């Protein structure tokens, strides 16, 4: 089976062509924020499409109805109620499938990655926000289509404003932007601090703060630990509900690994009811990296959504 998968977010798109589960071609794009989403999807597909392609999968960051192939809404993607599946199927003349980007990435991890040996897994993406997917008994669980949007569980009614329009969502405490916000507070309060010198005049990113922490800056380490602990606190809530065998962490910040995940793991172990009488699930970094969403979208399309 030759299939194409694309992963499209607010600023970037990745397109792959697979033969079976092997990537045989890929291309990356910057997406203009003002670009029509369906045009951006079509252009991404064109970059890797040829006559051998039998199925096309689209993973997109937002609320997707997989049964209809419609993107209802995404905080970083222009347009609402976009009929992506019918537009793609019509344009390219092959069957198409559309899903949330985290579902697509989780499906790739389940098929050929770190989740392949497990039956019950929570896939949690930690990056610009927090998203995720639920795998129950070896299959994706979608609910009505929108399951796994736990980044928008409110953890602080008086918290900062979230991209979704609500206040104090989990992702406002534990994400790349949360770390950046904390770093800005420190730097503004104390421009002579070692962290201010390390981060310099350039734009502060979640990755740059983690790098400063890993290089030994105590202030940066405290901030990264704070975000990691907030991440772990949220994970504890999810584990209380699902009791998975494995929590798999993907996304740009999650992929950085131990400096964030270590504190999260400790808070998770301390927070579970039942204490030492139960073993917390393993918390591991996803293995397929940034191509997981595009690969998973292609695999889902090849299997017609499973
Ligand atoms: Zn929110």
């Amino acid at each position: 089976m030759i299939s194409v998968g694309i992963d499209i977010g607010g600023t970037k798109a990745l397109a792959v062509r697979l033969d079976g589960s092997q990537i045989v071609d890929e291309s990356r794009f910057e997406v203009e924020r003002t670009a029509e989403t369906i045009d951006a999807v079509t252009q991404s597909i064109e970059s890797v499409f040829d006559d051998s392609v039998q199925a096309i999968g689209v993973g997109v960051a937002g609320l997707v109805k997989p049964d209809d192939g419609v993107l209802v809404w995404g905080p970083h993607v222009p347009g609402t109620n976009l009929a992506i599946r019918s537009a793609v199927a019509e344009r390219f003349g092959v069957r198409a499938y559309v899903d949330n980007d985290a579902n697509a990435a989780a499906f790739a991890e389940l098929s050929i990655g770190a989740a392949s040996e497990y039956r019950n897994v929570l896939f949690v993406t930690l990056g610009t926000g927090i998203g995720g997917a639920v795998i129950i008994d070896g299959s994706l669980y979608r609910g009505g289509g929108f399951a796994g949007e736990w980044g928008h569980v409110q953890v602080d009614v008086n918290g900062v404003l979230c991209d979704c329009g609500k206040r104090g969502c989990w992702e406002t405490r534990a994400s790349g932007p949360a770390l950046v916000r904390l770093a800005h507070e420190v730097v503004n309060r104390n421009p002579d601090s070692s962290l201010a010198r390390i981060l310099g005049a350039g734009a502060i990113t979640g990755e740059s703060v983690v790098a400063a922490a890993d290089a030994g800056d105590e202030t940066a380490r405290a901030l990264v630990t704070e975000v990691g602990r907030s991440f772990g606190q949220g994970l504890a809530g999810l584990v209380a509900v699902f009791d998975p065998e494995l929590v798999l962490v993907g996304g740009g910040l999650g992929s950085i690994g131990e400096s964030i995940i270590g504190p999260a793991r400790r808070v998770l172990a301390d927070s579970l009811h039942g204490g030492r009488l139960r073993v917390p699930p393993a918390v591991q970094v996803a293995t397929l990296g940034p191509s997981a969403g595009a690969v998973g979208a292609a695999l889902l399309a090849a299997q017609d959504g499973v």
Side-chain angles (χ1 to χ4, degrees), residues 1 9 11 21 23 26 52 80 104 110 113 180 212 214-215 248 273 285 289:
M1 167 71 79
T11 57
S21 58
I23 297 175
E26 67 175 72
S52 66
T80 54
L110 179 65
V180 170
D214 288 346
L248 202 55
H273 64 294
V285 176

Side-chain angles (χ1 to χ4, degrees), residues 56-160:
I56 298 170
V58 178
V60 57
L63 299 179
V64 175
K65 288 186 183 165
D67 291 344
D68 305 331
V70 170
L71 170 67
V72 176
W73 176 79
H76 308 291
V77 182
T80 54
N81 289 315
L82 300 176
I84 295 177
R85 184 172 72 192
S86 57
V88 169
E90 199 170 299
R91 165 71 182 77
F92 294 95
V94 299
R95 76 165 185 257
Y97 184 76
V98 185
D99 209 331
N100 172 267
D101 58 344
N103 281 349
F107 189 71
E109 296 288 347
L110 179 65
S111 303
I112 57 172
S116 60
E117 303 287 313
Y118 296 85
R119 303 289 297 166
N120 298 300
V121 180
L122 297 181
F123 178 75
V124 185
T125 59
L126 178 61
T128 311
I130 297 177
V134 183
I135 294 166
I136 293 178
D137 211 14
S139 299
L140 276 175
Y141 169 80
R142 296 184 176 86
F146 305 157
E149 293 285 353
W150 37 56
H152 300 286
V153 172
Q154 193 178 43
V155 296
D156 180 1
V157 286
N158 300 313
V160 300

